[in-house]
Amino acid sequence: MRKPRIRRPHSLAGRLFAMQTVLVAAVVAGCAAFAYVADRGQAEDSARRQVTAAAVAVAASPAVRDAVRSADPAAALQPYAERVRRDTDVDFVTIMDRDGTRWTHPDPDRIGERFLGHTGPALDGRIFSETYTGTLGPSVRAVVPVTDGHRVIALASAGITVDAISAEIRRQLIGLLGVAVGALALGGAGTYVLNARLRRHTHGMNATELSRMHDYHEAALHAVREGLLMLDGERRIALINDGGRELLGLDGEVIGRRVTALGLPPALTDALLSTEPRLDELHLTADRIVVVNTSPVSGGERSGTVVTLRDHTELQALSGELDSVRGFAEALRSQAHEAANRLHAVVSLIELGRADEAVDFVTAELELAQALTDQVVAAVAEPVLAALLLGKAAQANEHGVELLLAPDTHIDDGLLPPGLPARDLVTVLGNLIDNAVDAAAEEANRGSADARRAYVTVTVRADGDELLLRVADNGAGVAPDIMDDVFRRGWTTKAAGPQETAVHGRGLGLALVRQAAGRNGGTVTVADAPCGGAEFTVRLPLCVRAGAQP
């Protein structure tokens, strides 16, 4: 048994096509009816003017007045009336006596009979017209007085039958119907073409399906946490969801605004304006790191772009912490290796019977290892900063760089306010120390002849109501003409590998420093260090304002 076929509702395009077809047909029919009524009235008016002109011409003819005075008016007037009738294309021309006796008629047998119609106004000297049923049927006629001076001596009448008028209207109606059919066909064809295009754009869906799809679209748009933007061909925002507004820091009405008017960082603006696809590019906003993917879309007359945004801030912070932990692990492995070498040296001295020298060697190594630890613990009571400095000192030592604490470094435990995240401190100080170590090591290793002691000096102290973080190195320094560019995303002095792209975070360190400082209401500056390298200074307010912007 076959299942009953479920009838699918007509598509939106189909319904519009049917509605437009009916509307076009109604308009054409109405116009045709109006034109018919108007043509009929015009035909009657034209016939009335035509018969009036013919009757006036006959009444004004001197030959007619002369024939009226003759003994046999009919003999002279009948040929003349027929000739006028044929020349003026009317159905009858009748010349009669004052009492209505006909002297002329298209049917000669009717000559001598009484005229059927009104003659009173003409006897009074006036021209008038009427529709009256005479011997030829209903006709539009005009009656005109034939005067001799001021005296009416006869009457002249000309007329066109209603059948003749109707025949003319029918001819006009046929032409009108042809035009109406052509207009209907043309309108139907245009409607079909438009609706075929609408059907393609709506994919044959009906109004209910389109409404349901719109509801799903709105629900999905607001449910997705990732940012979504759609740009039109002129790079204006056509659509943006809640995640996109949050990631880009946009408030108010932005639909219809150009990307260049949103106040986004130049690199991010360039990525959104690009006509080429962008894949997993890292970009910084005022307080976030976002991963940008763009895909051009071609459709209709203009091409647009679909942009997706993912929040990479937490992931980048965790990645930085992971790099620090990995560095600590490498430092511990290296220290374990060095400790094993020193232990072998001590054992060898003891085996050689030089116990005193072994004790002196161990004591010197312990004092050297403990010196920096004691200095850090004494100067920095904040656990997070102390642990960071000790770990970075071990990493720097692996690169042949000595990490020094400035004499005025001092931070009491509990000085940092709860609103200042420890993660931001790690981001700021960790990235500055990493860059300084790299710069000092690179300058020291540039050539054996120029080899020199490489070191980095760190200052951490309270300066009034601000926390001062300063990192200086004795590397190559920063040229004055590029000091404004060092905090730009992607700026780096390191040579990128052939497989490295923006997504790997190359050139993000200083940009993250500025972002973290700005997020906490602070500032970051760069200058020449007294030791010849670069000196970065970060100032963070100890009374952090919630939601502070750079």
Side-chain angles (χ1 to χ4, degrees), residues 424-513:
D424 286 350
L425 287 178
V426 172
T427 297
V428 171
L429 196 57
N431 279 288
L432 291 180
I433 294 177
D434 287 342
N435 285 350
V437 169
D438 290 341
E442 181 180 358
E443 184 67 15
N445 297 330
R446 185 161 297 186
S448 58
D450 298 329
R452 59 193 177 109
R453 173 180 172 235
Y455 62 90
V456 172
T457 304
V458 178
T459 304
V460 181
R461 62 182 174 84
D463 186 12
D465 59 351
E466 293 180 327
L467 175 64
L468 175 67
L469 305 174
R470 178 174 293 151
V471 178
D473 62 73
N474 65 339
V478 179
D481 56 337
I482 61 172
M483 283 188 176
D484 294 335
D485 297 331
V486 296
F487 299 105
R488 178 173 51 83
R489 174 206 168 277
W491 185 92
T492 179
T493 59
K494 303 174 185 178
Q499 303 299 323
E500 288 181 310
T501 62
V503 75
H504 295 103
R506 177 67 68 184
L508 275 176
L510 293 178
L512 291 174
V513 170

Side-chain angles (χ1 to χ4, degrees), residues 4 79 88 139 200 216 225 240 299 312 348 418 430 497:
T88 57
S139 62
R200 287 195 303 270
Y216 290 159
R225 293 186 59 188
I240 184 171
H312 202 259
S348 298

Side-chain angles (χ1 to χ4, degrees), residues 205-287:
M205 291 185 291
N206 56 44
T208 303
E209 292 171 335
L210 288 174
S211 176
R212 184 166 57 248
M213 177 172 290
H214 177 268
D215 294 339
Y216 290 159
H217 168 269
E218 289 294 321
L221 192 64
H222 294 289
V224 174
R225 293 186 59 188
E226 287 73 14
L228 176 64
L229 280 79
M230 292 187 181
L231 308 178
D232 61 15
E234 297 183 0
R235 296 302 183 266
R236 291 179 301 215
I237 294 183
L239 181 145
I240 184 171
N241 68 345
D242 298 339
R245 291 176 180 271
E246 181 179 357
L247 292 177
L248 296 180
L250 301 178
D251 295 324
E253 183 59 38
V254 297
I255 301 297
R257 293 177 60 185
R258 294 184 181 274
V259 172
T260 53
L262 299 179
L264 300 176
L268 180 55
T269 301
D270 293 341
L272 297 181
L273 294 176
S274 175
T275 57
E276 300 296 329
R278 299 294 183 97
L279 180 63
D280 289 341
E281 287 191 359
L282 283 180
H283 290 274
L284 273 75
T285 63
D287 54 0

Side-chain angles (χ1 to χ4, degrees), residues 6 10-11 20 53 64 150 159 172 189 229 253 256 266 296 309 365 391 397 421 425 438 440:
I6 300 177
H10 293 292
S11 66
Q20 290 174 344
V64 172
H150 297 286
Q172 296 179 359
L229 280 79
E253 183 59 38
L309 306 169
E365 289 296 324
N397 185 58
L425 287 178
D438 290 341

Side-chain angles (χ1 to χ4, degrees), residues 1 34 41 61 114 152 161 226 241 336 413 415 456 504 526 538:
M1 181 177 179
F34 175 78
S61 174
R114 294 292 297 272
V152 177
T161 62
E226 287 73 14
N241 68 345
D413 189 12
L415 176 67
V456 172
H504 295 103
V526 59
V538 177

Side-chain angles (χ1 to χ4, degrees), residues 378-399:
V380 181
E382 180 63 36
V384 174
L385 292 180
L388 177 66
L389 291 173
L390 289 175
K392 291 300 181 183
Q395 285 183 279
N397 185 58
E398 288 302 311
H399 290 82

